[in-house]
Amino acid sequence: MTFELQPLPYSEDALEPYIDAQTMRIHHDFHHGGYVKNLNTALENYPELQSRSIDDLIRNLNTLPESVRNGVRNQGGGHFNHSIFWTVMSPNAGGEPTGEIATVINEVFGGFESFKTRFNDAGTKHFGSGFVWLVRTADNKFDIISLPNQDCPWSEGHYPIMCNDVWEHAYYLTYQNRRPEYLKQWWNTVSWDAVNERYAIATR
Ligand code: MN3
């Protein structure tokens, strides 16, 4: 089939103690893996869509045939969003932002503390499942937004620079119902190198 689950870019226990190994294994192998499998099933009768990249399908979601659009939104979004999520985290990461994204955080959001507060507030107040995103908007601004389920800002032309997954499956084994605590600890896993790479693509 066209779309494949890539392995995690680090071992499943690499983000401990902030994200436990069992959560990473279930999240990657079964949740993300399930989205990939279901995306391939959804595209079974659309060979012309199978040859396109996931980035392209999500970006052009609104132009896809209506019969397959919801499948790509949910399953393809799940594949695309998780692929971003794994890469903006790494072991031995966290700390203060570096590089050009640090400048954006200071100039647009008034510094790292207020950036984190806004990002975490968006995650805490998001009702139900979804992701929190830092995006470069279609009109070239920077914004923090939350979207439900596997909806992706890229489908509206907002380039996804970084995201956190606030579905319960992302944190429940360690944090149970304490989403705000997960959101706070998650910053210890953020790879500013990876975020800067995505920022460079967003602004080129
Ligand atoms: Mn998830």
Side-chain angles (χ1 to χ4, degrees):
M1 291 305 285
T2 312
F3 294 98
E4 287 176 14
L5 178 66
Q6 297 302 311
L8 280 172
Y10 33 73
S11 64
E12 62 193 26
D13 63 356
L15 304 182
E16 289 194 346
Y18 311 111
I19 305 179
D20 66 275
Q22 190 186 9
T23 293
M24 289 299 284
R25 180 166 61 250
I26 296 171
H27 197 174
H28 174 270
D29 295 2
F30 299 106
H31 288 278
H32 187 175
Y35 294 123
V36 173
K37 189 165 167 277
N38 293 337
L39 174 63
N40 286 327
T41 302
L43 295 182
E44 251 166 14
N45 298 321
Y46 301 85
E48 74 285 2
L49 299 183
Q50 293 171 16
S51 62
R52 290 167 62 177
S53 70
I54 189 62
D55 181 294
D56 180 25
L57 291 178
I58 294 301
R59 176 67 187 90
N60 296 292
L61 184 68
N62 298 328
T63 68
L64 300 184
E66 214 169 310
S67 51
V68 77
R69 197 180 303 157
N70 229 28
V72 175
R73 161 176 280 142
N74 292 329
Q75 312 302 336
H79 176 32
F80 188 65
N81 296 346
H82 285 90
S83 298
I84 298 169
F85 180 57
W86 309 131
T87 61
V88 298
M89 301 186 290
S90 82
N92 309 310
E96 296 284 317
T98 58
E100 295 191 64
I101 199 68
T103 307
V104 171
I105 286 171
N106 287 331
E107 290 180 358
V108 178
F109 297 96
F112 188 37
E113 284 309 312
S114 60
F115 175 75
K116 275 195 295 191
T117 299
R118 256 188 79 177
F119 198 97
N120 290 357
D121 274 357
T124 300
K125 289 172 185 159
H126 182 85
F127 184 76
S129 297
F131 280 68
V132 187
W133 301 89
L134 169 66
V135 298
R136 187 227 58 208
T137 64
D139 58 352
N140 272 313
K141 296 189 173 88
F142 294 93
D143 202 5
I144 292 167
I145 58 173
S146 74
L147 291 177
N149 305 317
Q150 297 297 347
D151 288 0
C152 185
W154 196 217
S155 300
E156 303 300 328
H158 308 312
Y159 189 85
I161 297 175
M162 66 187 288
C163 62
N164 192 2
D165 187 339
V166 300
W167 286 60
E168 283 187 345
H169 66 226
Y171 62 85
Y172 206 83
L173 296 180
T174 295
Y175 299 95
Q176 289 88 46
N177 59 313
R178 304 185 304 277
R179 186 190 286 183
E181 191 183 329
Y182 160 68
L183 285 159
K184 194 171 151 216
Q185 293 296 332
W186 175 77
W187 293 98
N188 291 300
T189 73
V190 172
S191 166
W192 294 112
D193 289 347
V195 174
N196 272 303
E197 281 172 30
R198 297 192 60 82
Y199 169 83
I201 296 167
T203 53
R204 76 182 174 205

